[in-house]
Coordinates of all heavy atoms in Angstrom, one line a residue:
E1 N -5.5 15.1 16.3 CA -5.2 14.3 15.1 C -3.7 14.1 15.1 O -2.9 14.9 15.6 CB -5.7 14.9 13.8 CG -5.2 16.2 13.4 CD -5.9 16.8 12.2 OE1 -7.1 16.8 12.3 OE2 -5.2 17.1 11.3
V2 N -3.3 12.9 14.5 CA -1.9 12.5 14.4 C -1.6 12.2 12.9 O -2.3 11.4 12.3 CB -1.6 11.3 15.2 CG1 -0.2 10.8 15.1 CG2 -1.9 11.5 16.7
D3 N -0.6 12.9 12.4 CA -0.2 12.6 11.0 C 1.0 11.7 11.0 O 2.0 11.8 11.8 CB 0.3 13.9 10.3 CG -0.9 14.9 10.1 OD1 -1.9 14.4 9.8 OD2 -0.7 16.1 10.3
V4 N 0.9 10.6 10.2 CA 1.9 9.6 10.1 C 2.3 9.5 8.6 O 1.5 9.4 7.7 CB 1.3 8.2 10.5 CG1 2.4 7.1 10.3 CG2 0.8 8.3 11.9
F5 N 3.6 9.6 8.4 CA 4.1 9.5 7.0 C 5.4 8.7 7.0 O 6.1 8.6 8.0 CB 4.3 10.9 6.4 CG 5.3 11.7 7.1 CD1 6.6 11.8 6.8 CD2 4.8 12.5 8.2 CE1 7.5 12.6 7.4 CE2 5.7 13.3 8.9 CZ 7.1 13.3 8.5
G6 N 5.7 8.1 5.8 CA 6.9 7.4 5.6 C 6.9 6.6 4.3 O 6.1 7.0 3.4
T7 N 7.7 5.6 4.2 CA 7.8 4.9 2.9 C 7.6 3.4 3.3 O 8.3 2.9 4.2 CB 9.1 5.1 2.2 OG1 9.2 6.5 2.0 CG2 9.2 4.4 0.9
I8 N 6.8 2.7 2.5 CA 6.6 1.3 2.7 C 7.4 0.6 1.5 O 7.2 0.9 0.4 CB 5.2 0.9 2.5 CG1 4.3 1.6 3.6 CG2 5.0 -0.6 2.6 CD1 2.8 1.5 3.4
Y9 N 8.3 -0.3 1.9 CA 9.1 -1.1 0.9 C 8.6 -2.5 0.9 O 8.5 -3.1 2.0 CB 10.6 -1.0 1.3 CG 11.2 0.4 1.3 CD1 11.3 1.1 2.5 CD2 11.7 0.9 0.1 CE1 11.8 2.4 2.5 CE2 12.2 2.2 0.1 CZ 12.3 2.9 1.3 OH 12.8 4.2 1.3
L10 N 8.3 -3.0 -0.2 CA 7.9 -4.4 -0.3 C 8.3 -5.1 -1.6 O 8.6 -4.4 -2.6 CB 6.4 -4.5 -0.1 CG 5.5 -4.0 -1.2 CD1 4.5 -5.0 -1.6 CD2 4.7 -2.8 -0.6
T11 N 8.4 -6.4 -1.5 CA 8.7 -7.2 -2.7 C 7.5 -8.1 -3.0 O 7.0 -8.8 -2.0 CB 10.0 -8.1 -2.4 OG1 11.1 -7.2 -2.1 CG2 10.3 -8.9 -3.6
V12 N 7.1 -8.2 -4.2 CA 6.0 -9.0 -4.6 C 6.6 -10.1 -5.5 O 7.3 -9.8 -6.5 CB 4.9 -8.2 -5.4 CG1 3.9 -9.1 -6.0 CG2 4.3 -7.1 -4.5
K13 N 6.2 -11.3 -5.2 CA 6.6 -12.5 -6.0 C 5.3 -13.1 -6.5 O 4.4 -13.3 -5.8 CB 7.4 -13.5 -5.2 CG 8.7 -13.1 -4.7 CD 9.4 -14.2 -3.9 CE 10.7 -13.8 -3.4 NZ 11.4 -14.9 -2.7
G14 N 5.4 -13.4 -7.8 CA 4.2 -14.1 -8.4 C 4.5 -14.5 -9.8 O 5.7 -14.6 -10.2
L15 N 3.5 -14.8 -10.6 CA 3.6 -15.2 -12.0 C 3.1 -14.2 -12.9 O 2.1 -13.5 -12.6 CB 2.8 -16.5 -12.2 CG 3.3 -17.7 -11.3 CD1 2.4 -18.9 -11.6 CD2 4.7 -18.1 -11.5
C16 N 3.8 -14.0 -14.0 CA 3.4 -13.1 -15.1 C 1.9 -13.4 -15.5 O 1.6 -14.6 -15.8 CB 4.3 -13.1 -16.3 SG 3.8 -12.1 -17.7
D17 N 1.1 -12.4 -15.6 CA -0.3 -12.6 -16.0 C -0.4 -13.0 -17.5 O -1.5 -13.5 -17.9 CB -1.1 -11.4 -15.8 CG -1.3 -11.1 -14.3 OD1 -1.3 -12.1 -13.5 OD2 -1.6 -9.9 -13.9
K18 N 0.6 -12.8 -18.3 CA 0.6 -13.1 -19.7 C 1.2 -14.5 -20.0 O 0.6 -15.2 -20.8 CB 1.2 -12.1 -20.5 CG 0.5 -10.7 -20.4 CD 0.6 -10.0 -21.7 CE -0.2 -8.7 -21.5 NZ -1.0 -8.4 -22.7
C19 N 2.4 -14.8 -19.4 CA 3.1 -16.0 -19.8 C 3.3 -17.0 -18.7 O 3.7 -18.1 -18.9 CB 4.4 -15.7 -20.5 SG 5.6 -15.0 -19.4
G20 N 3.1 -16.6 -17.5 CA 3.3 -17.5 -16.3 C 4.7 -17.6 -15.8 O 5.0 -18.4 -14.9
E21 N 5.6 -16.8 -16.4 CA 7.0 -16.7 -15.9 C 7.0 -16.1 -14.5 O 6.2 -15.2 -14.2 CB 7.8 -15.9 -16.9 CG 9.3 -15.9 -16.5 CD 10.1 -15.0 -17.6 OE1 9.8 -15.2 -18.8 OE2 10.9 -14.2 -17.2
E22 N 7.9 -16.6 -13.7 CA 8.0 -16.1 -12.3 C 8.5 -14.6 -12.4 O 9.4 -14.2 -13.1 CB 9.0 -16.9 -11.5 CG 9.1 -16.4 -10.0 CD 9.9 -17.3 -9.2 OE1 9.6 -18.5 -9.1 OE2 10.9 -16.8 -8.5
V23 N 7.9 -13.8 -11.5 CA 8.2 -12.3 -11.5 C 8.5 -12.0 -10.0 O 7.8 -12.4 -9.1 CB 7.0 -11.5 -12.0 CG1 7.3 -10.0 -11.9 CG2 6.7 -11.9 -13.4
V24 N 9.5 -11.2 -9.8 CA 9.9 -10.6 -8.5 C 10.0 -9.1 -8.8 O 10.8 -8.7 -9.6 CB 11.2 -11.2 -7.9 CG1 11.5 -10.5 -6.6 CG2 11.1 -12.7 -7.8
E25 N 9.2 -8.3 -8.1 CA 9.2 -6.9 -8.3 C 9.2 -6.2 -7.0 O 8.4 -6.5 -6.1 CB 8.0 -6.5 -9.1 CG 8.1 -5.1 -9.7 CD 7.2 -4.8 -10.8 OE1 6.6 -5.8 -11.4 OE2 7.0 -3.6 -11.2
N26 N 10.1 -5.2 -6.9 CA 10.2 -4.3 -5.7 C 9.3 -3.1 -5.8 O 9.3 -2.5 -6.9 CB 11.6 -4.0 -5.4 CG 12.5 -5.2 -5.1 OD1 12.1 -6.0 -4.3 ND2 13.6 -5.3 -5.8
F27 N 8.7 -2.7 -4.8 CA 7.9 -1.5 -4.8 C 8.2 -0.5 -3.6 O 8.6 -1.0 -2.6 CB 6.4 -1.8 -4.7 CG 5.8 -2.5 -5.9 CD1 5.8 -3.9 -5.9 CD2 5.4 -1.8 -6.9 CE1 5.3 -4.6 -7.0 CE2 4.9 -2.5 -8.0 CZ 4.8 -3.9 -8.1
E28 N 8.1 0.7 -3.9 CA 8.4 1.8 -2.8 C 7.1 2.6 -2.8 O 6.8 3.3 -3.8 CB 9.6 2.6 -3.2 CG 10.0 3.6 -2.2 CD 11.3 4.3 -2.6 OE1 12.3 3.5 -3.0 OE2 11.3 5.5 -2.6
I29 N 6.4 2.6 -1.7 CA 5.1 3.3 -1.7 C 5.1 4.4 -0.6 O 5.4 4.1 0.6 CB 4.0 2.3 -1.4 CG1 3.9 1.2 -2.5 CG2 2.6 3.0 -1.2 CD1 3.0 0.0 -2.1
N30 N 4.8 5.6 -1.0 CA 4.8 6.7 0.0 C 3.5 6.5 0.8 O 2.4 6.2 0.3 CB 4.9 8.0 -0.7 CG 6.2 8.3 -1.3 OD1 7.2 7.9 -0.8 ND2 6.2 8.9 -2.4
F31 N 3.6 6.7 2.1 CA 2.5 6.6 3.1 C 2.3 7.9 3.8 O 3.3 8.5 4.3 CB 2.8 5.5 4.1 CG 1.8 5.2 5.1 CD1 0.7 4.5 4.8 CD2 1.9 5.7 6.4 CE1 -0.3 4.2 5.7 CE2 0.9 5.5 7.3 CZ -0.2 4.8 7.0
D32 N 1.1 8.4 3.8 CA 0.8 9.7 4.5 C -0.7 9.7 4.9 O -1.5 9.8 4.1 CB 1.1 10.9 3.5 CG 1.0 12.2 4.2 OD1 0.6 12.3 5.4 OD2 1.2 13.2 3.6
Q33 N -0.9 9.4 6.2 CA -2.3 9.3 6.7 C -2.4 10.1 8.0 O -1.5 10.3 8.7 CB -2.6 7.8 7.0 CG -2.9 7.0 5.8 CD -4.2 7.4 5.1 OE1 -5.1 8.1 5.6 NE2 -4.4 6.9 3.8
T34 N -3.7 10.5 8.2 CA -4.0 11.2 9.4 C -4.9 10.3 10.2 O -5.8 9.7 9.7 CB -4.7 12.5 9.1 OG1 -3.9 13.3 8.3 CG2 -5.0 13.3 10.4
F35 N -4.5 10.1 11.5 CA -5.3 9.3 12.5 C -6.0 10.3 13.4 O -5.5 11.3 13.9 CB -4.4 8.4 13.2 CG -3.8 7.3 12.4 CD1 -2.8 7.6 11.5 CD2 -4.3 6.0 12.4 CE1 -2.2 6.6 10.7 CE2 -3.8 5.0 11.6 CZ -2.7 5.3 10.8
Y36 N -7.3 9.9 13.7 CA -8.1 10.8 14.6 C -8.5 10.1 15.9 O -8.7 8.9 15.9 CB -9.4 11.1 13.8 CG -9.1 11.9 12.5 CD1 -9.0 11.2 11.3 CD2 -9.0 13.3 12.5 CE1 -8.7 11.9 10.2 CE2 -8.8 14.0 11.4 CZ -8.6 13.3 10.2 OH -8.4 13.9 9.0
K37 N -8.7 10.8 16.9 CA -9.2 10.3 18.2 C -10.6 9.9 18.1 O -11.1 8.9 18.6 CB -9.0 11.3 19.3 CG -9.1 10.7 20.7 CD -8.6 11.6 21.7 CE -8.5 10.9 23.0 NZ -7.5 11.3 23.9
Q38 N -11.4 10.6 17.3 CA -12.8 10.3 17.0 C -13.1 10.4 15.5 O -12.6 11.4 14.9 CB -13.8 11.2 17.8 CG -13.7 11.1 19.3 CD -14.7 12.0 20.0 OE1 -15.2 12.9 19.4 NE2 -15.0 11.7 21.2
A39 N -13.8 9.5 15.0 CA -14.1 9.5 13.6 C -14.9 10.7 13.1 O -15.9 11.1 13.8 CB -14.8 8.2 13.1
E40 N -14.4 11.4 12.1 CA -15.2 12.5 11.5 C -15.9 12.0 10.2 O -16.9 12.5 9.8 CB -14.3 13.7 11.2 CG -13.6 14.3 12.4 CD -12.6 15.3 12.1 OE1 -12.4 15.7 10.9 OE2 -11.9 15.8 13.0
E41 N -15.3 11.0 9.6 CA -15.8 10.4 8.3 C -15.8 8.9 8.6 O -15.0 8.4 9.3 CB -14.9 10.8 7.1 CG -14.8 12.2 6.8 CD -16.1 12.8 6.3 OE1 -16.9 12.0 5.6 OE2 -16.4 14.0 6.5
P42 N -16.6 8.1 7.8 CA -16.7 6.7 8.0 C -15.4 6.0 7.7 O -15.1 4.9 8.3 CB -17.8 6.2 7.0 CG -18.5 7.4 6.6 CD -17.6 8.6 6.9
D43 N -14.5 6.5 6.9 CA -13.3 5.8 6.5 C -12.1 6.4 7.2 O -10.9 6.1 6.9 CB -13.1 5.7 5.0 CG -13.0 7.1 4.4 OD1 -13.4 8.1 5.1 OD2 -12.7 7.2 3.2
D44 N -12.3 7.2 8.3 CA -11.1 7.7 9.1 C -10.4 6.6 9.8 O -11.0 5.6 10.3 CB -11.6 8.8 10.1 CG -11.9 10.1 9.5 OD1 -11.6 10.3 8.3 OD2 -12.5 10.9 10.1
Y45 N -9.1 6.8 10.0 CA -8.3 5.9 10.8 C -8.2 6.5 12.2 O -8.1 7.7 12.4 CB -6.9 5.7 10.2 CG -7.0 5.0 8.9 CD1 -6.8 5.7 7.7 CD2 -7.3 3.6 8.8 CE1 -6.8 5.1 6.5 CE2 -7.4 3.0 7.6 CZ -7.2 3.8 6.4 OH -7.2 3.2 5.2
L46 N -8.4 5.6 13.2 CA -8.4 6.1 14.6 C -7.2 5.6 15.4 O -6.5 4.7 15.1 CB -9.7 5.5 15.3 CG -11.0 5.8 14.6 CD1 -12.2 5.2 15.3 CD2 -11.2 7.3 14.5
Y47 N -7.0 6.4 16.5 CA -6.0 6.0 17.5 C -6.7 6.1 18.9 O -7.7 6.8 19.0 CB -4.8 6.8 17.5 CG -4.9 8.3 17.9 CD1 -4.7 8.6 19.3 CD2 -5.3 9.3 17.1 CE1 -4.8 9.9 19.7 CE2 -5.4 10.6 17.5 CZ -5.2 10.9 18.8 OH -5.3 12.2 19.2
S48 N -6.2 5.4 19.9 CA -6.8 5.5 21.2 C -5.6 5.7 22.2 O -4.6 5.0 22.1 CB -7.6 4.2 21.5 OG -6.8 3.1 21.5
C49 N -5.9 6.5 23.2 CA -4.9 6.9 24.2 C -3.6 7.2 23.5 O -3.5 8.1 22.6 CB -4.7 5.8 25.2 SG -6.3 5.4 26.1
S50 N -2.5 6.5 23.8 CA -1.2 6.8 23.1 C -0.9 5.7 22.1 O 0.2 5.6 21.7 CB -0.1 6.9 24.2 OG 0.0 5.7 24.9
R51 N -1.9 4.9 21.8 CA -1.6 3.7 20.9 C -2.1 4.1 19.5 O -3.3 4.5 19.3 CB -2.3 2.5 21.4 CG -1.8 2.0 22.7 CD -1.3 0.6 22.5 NE -0.7 0.2 23.8 CZ 0.4 -0.5 23.8 NH1 1.0 -0.8 22.7 NH2 0.9 -0.8 25.0
L52 N -1.3 3.8 18.5 CA -1.6 3.9 17.1 C -1.5 2.6 16.4 O -0.5 1.9 16.6 CB -0.6 4.9 16.5 CG -0.8 5.3 15.1 CD1 -2.1 6.3 15.0 CD2 0.4 6.1 14.6
Y53 N -2.5 2.2 15.6 CA -2.5 0.9 15.0 C -2.6 1.2 13.4 O -3.7 1.3 12.9 CB -3.7 0.1 15.4 CG -3.7 -0.2 16.9 CD1 -4.4 0.6 17.8 CD2 -2.9 -1.2 17.4 CE1 -4.4 0.4 19.1 CE2 -2.8 -1.4 18.8 CZ -3.6 -0.6 19.6 OH -3.5 -0.8 21.0
P54 N -1.4 1.3 12.8 CA -1.4 1.7 11.4 C -1.6 0.5 10.4 O -1.6 0.8 9.2 CB 0.0 2.3 11.2 CG 0.8 1.5 12.2 CD -0.1 1.3 13.4
Y55 N -1.8 -0.7 10.9 CA -1.8 -1.8 9.9 C -2.9 -1.7 8.9 O -2.6 -1.9 7.7 CB -2.0 -3.1 10.7 CG -2.1 -4.3 9.8 CD1 -0.9 -4.9 9.3 CD2 -3.3 -4.9 9.5 CE1 -1.0 -6.0 8.4 CE2 -3.4 -6.0 8.6 CZ -2.2 -6.5 8.1 OH -2.3 -7.6 7.2
D56 N -4.1 -1.4 9.2 CA -5.2 -1.3 8.2 C -4.9 -0.2 7.2 O -5.1 -0.3 6.0 CB -6.5 -1.0 8.9 CG -7.0 -2.3 9.6 OD1 -6.6 -3.4 9.3 OD2 -7.9 -2.1 10.5
A57 N -4.4 1.0 7.7 CA -4.1 2.1 6.8 C -3.0 1.7 5.8 O -3.0 2.0 4.6 CB -3.7 3.3 7.6
M58 N -2.0 1.1 6.3 CA -0.8 0.6 5.5 C -1.3 -0.4 4.5 O -0.9 -0.3 3.3 CB 0.3 0.1 6.4 CG 1.0 1.2 7.2 SD 2.2 0.6 8.4 CE 3.4 0.0 7.2
Q59 N -2.1 -1.4 4.9 CA -2.6 -2.4 4.0 C -3.4 -1.8 2.9 O -3.3 -2.1 1.7 CB -3.4 -3.4 4.8 CG -3.9 -4.5 3.9 CD -4.7 -5.6 4.7 OE1 -5.3 -5.2 5.7 NE2 -4.7 -6.8 4.2
E60 N -4.3 -0.8 3.2 CA -5.1 -0.2 2.2 C -4.2 0.6 1.2 O -4.4 0.6 0.0 CB -6.1 0.8 2.9 CG -7.1 1.4 1.9 CD -8.1 2.2 2.5 OE1 -8.8 1.7 3.4 OE2 -8.3 3.4 2.2
E61 N -3.2 1.3 1.7 CA -2.3 2.1 0.9 C -1.6 1.1 -0.1 O -1.4 1.5 -1.3 CB -1.3 2.8 1.7 CG -0.5 3.9 1.0 CD -1.4 5.1 0.6 OE1 -2.3 5.5 1.4 OE2 -1.2 5.6 -0.5
V62 N -1.1 0.0 0.4 CA -0.4 -1.0 -0.5 C -1.4 -1.5 -1.5 O -1.0 -1.5 -2.7 CB 0.2 -2.1 0.4 CG1 0.6 -3.3 -0.5 CG2 1.3 -1.6 1.2
M63 N -2.6 -1.9 -1.1 CA -3.5 -2.5 -2.1 C -3.9 -1.5 -3.2 O -4.1 -1.9 -4.3 CB -4.8 -3.0 -1.4 CG -4.5 -4.1 -0.4 SD -3.6 -5.5 -1.2 CE -4.9 -6.2 -2.2
L64 N -4.0 -0.2 -2.8 CA -4.4 0.8 -3.8 C -3.2 1.2 -4.7 O -3.4 1.8 -5.8 CB -5.0 2.0 -3.1 CG -6.3 1.8 -2.4 CD1 -6.7 3.1 -1.6 CD2 -7.4 1.5 -3.4
S65 N -2.0 1.0 -4.3 CA -0.8 1.4 -5.0 C -0.3 0.3 -5.9 O 0.5 0.7 -6.9 CB 0.3 1.8 -4.0 OG -0.2 2.9 -3.3
L66 N -0.5 -0.9 -5.7 CA 0.0 -2.0 -6.5 C -0.7 -2.0 -7.9 O -1.9 -1.7 -8.0 CB -0.1 -3.3 -5.8 CG 0.7 -3.6 -4.6 CD1 0.4 -4.9 -4.0 CD2 2.2 -3.4 -4.9
P67 N 0.0 -2.4 -8.9 CA -0.6 -2.5 -10.2 C -1.6 -3.7 -10.2 O -1.5 -4.6 -9.4 CB 0.6 -2.9 -11.2 CG 1.6 -3.4 -10.3 CD 1.5 -2.8 -9.0
T68 N -2.6 -3.6 -11.1 CA -3.6 -4.6 -11.2 C -3.2 -5.9 -11.8 O -3.8 -6.9 -11.7 CB -4.9 -4.1 -12.0 OG1 -4.5 -3.6 -13.2 CG2 -5.5 -2.9 -11.2
S69 N -2.1 -5.8 -12.6 CA -1.5 -7.1 -13.2 C 0.0 -7.1 -12.9 O 0.6 -6.1 -12.8 CB -1.8 -7.1 -14.7 OG -1.3 -6.0 -15.3
L70 N 0.5 -8.3 -12.9 CA 1.9 -8.5 -12.7 C 2.5 -9.0 -14.0 O 2.0 -10.0 -14.5 CB 2.1 -9.6 -11.6 CG 3.5 -9.7 -11.0 CD1 4.0 -8.4 -10.4 CD2 3.5 -10.8 -9.9
L71 N 3.5 -8.3 -14.5 CA 4.0 -8.7 -15.8 C 5.5 -8.8 -15.7 O 6.2 -8.1 -15.0 CB 3.7 -7.6 -16.9 CG 2.2 -7.3 -17.1 CD1 2.1 -6.1 -18.1 CD2 1.5 -8.6 -17.7
C72 N 6.1 -9.8 -16.5 CA 7.5 -10.0 -16.6 C 8.1 -8.9 -17.5 O 7.4 -8.2 -18.1 CB 7.8 -11.4 -17.1 SG 7.3 -11.6 -18.9
N73 N 9.4 -8.8 -17.5 CA 10.1 -7.7 -18.2 C 9.7 -7.7 -19.7 O 9.6 -6.7 -20.4 CB 11.6 -7.8 -18.1 CG 12.0 -7.3 -16.7 OD1 11.3 -6.5 -16.1 ND2 13.1 -7.8 -16.2
K74 N 9.6 -8.9 -20.3 CA 9.4 -9.0 -21.8 C 7.9 -8.6 -22.1 O 7.7 -8.2 -23.3 CB 9.7 -10.3 -22.4 CG 8.8 -11.5 -22.0 CD 9.2 -12.7 -22.7 CE 8.4 -13.9 -22.2 NZ 8.9 -15.2 -22.7
H75 N 7.0 -8.6 -21.2 CA 5.6 -8.1 -21.4 C 5.3 -6.8 -20.9 O 4.2 -6.2 -21.2 CB 4.6 -9.2 -20.9 CG 4.6 -10.4 -21.6 ND1 5.1 -11.6 -21.1 CD2 4.2 -10.7 -22.9 CE1 5.0 -12.5 -22.0 NE2 4.4 -12.0 -23.1
K76 N 6.2 -6.1 -20.1 CA 5.9 -4.8 -19.5 C 5.6 -3.7 -20.6 O 4.7 -2.9 -20.4 CB 7.0 -4.4 -18.6 CG 6.9 -4.9 -17.3 CD 7.9 -4.4 -16.3 CE 7.8 -5.0 -15.0 NZ 8.8 -4.6 -14.1
D77 N 6.4 -3.7 -21.6 CA 6.3 -2.6 -22.6 C 5.6 -3.0 -23.9 O 5.6 -2.3 -24.8 CB 7.7 -2.1 -22.9 CG 8.4 -1.5 -21.7 OD1 7.7 -0.9 -20.9 OD2 9.6 -1.7 -21.6
V78 N 4.9 -4.1 -23.9 CA 4.2 -4.6 -25.0 C 2.7 -4.2 -24.9 O 2.1 -4.5 -24.0 CB 4.3 -6.1 -25.2 CG1 3.5 -6.6 -26.4 CG2 5.8 -6.5 -25.3
D79 N 2.2 -3.5 -25.9 CA 0.8 -3.2 -26.0 C 0.1 -4.3 -26.7 O 0.5 -4.7 -27.8 CB 0.6 -1.8 -26.7 CG 1.1 -0.7 -26.0 OD1 1.2 -0.7 -24.7 OD2 1.6 0.3 -26.6
D80 N -1.1 -4.6 -26.2 CA -1.9 -5.7 -26.9 C -2.7 -5.0 -28.0 O -3.2 -4.0 -28.0 CB -2.9 -6.3 -25.9 CG -2.1 -7.3 -25.0 OD1 -0.9 -7.5 -25.2 OD2 -2.8 -7.8 -24.1

């Protein structure tokens, strides 16, 4: 098994889910995954020979770490 860790930095641009104002937000996501030569579980990440393909694992980590809604500064701290 191979342990891979690091930090993913990304910028998300979009529109505020409440008012439609443009939002640009930076994220820093810690990444820590184990890759296996043979799958032990259905959702294990695999490597072959000396090649490691982290794209799917990184994409999943980003999708699970991002907030479900994008809000501008004036709506971030407002409770509905």
Side-chain angles (χ1 to χ4, degrees):
E1 64 188 49
V2 177
D3 292 321
V4 177
F5 60 92
T7 305
I8 302 168
Y9 299 94
L10 66 126
T11 300
V12 174
K13 291 182 180 182
L15 301 177
C16 174
D17 289 337
K18 295 214 178 219
C19 69
E21 183 178 316
E22 186 172 302
V23 177
V24 177
E25 194 162 346
N26 296 311
F27 293 92
E28 186 176 309
I29 300 168
N30 292 325
F31 180 80
D32 187 359
Q33 284 291 343
T34 301
F35 291 76
Y36 300 91
K37 193 164 192 154
Q38 293 182 344
E40 296 174 8
E41 299 290 329
D43 58 348
D44 282 347
Y45 296 107
L46 304 177
Y47 72 91
S48 63
C49 300
S50 61
R51 296 240 178 223
L52 183 73
Y53 301 97
Y55 179 77
D56 288 341
M58 292 173 68
Q59 182 179 26
E60 185 174 307
E61 193 71 35
V62 167
M63 296 306 291
L64 292 173
S65 298
L66 291 177
T68 55
S69 61
L70 193 59
L71 299 174
C72 65
N73 287 333
K74 72 180 175 186
H75 287 110
K76 276 186 184 175
D77 298 322
V78 176
D79 293 329
D80 285 354

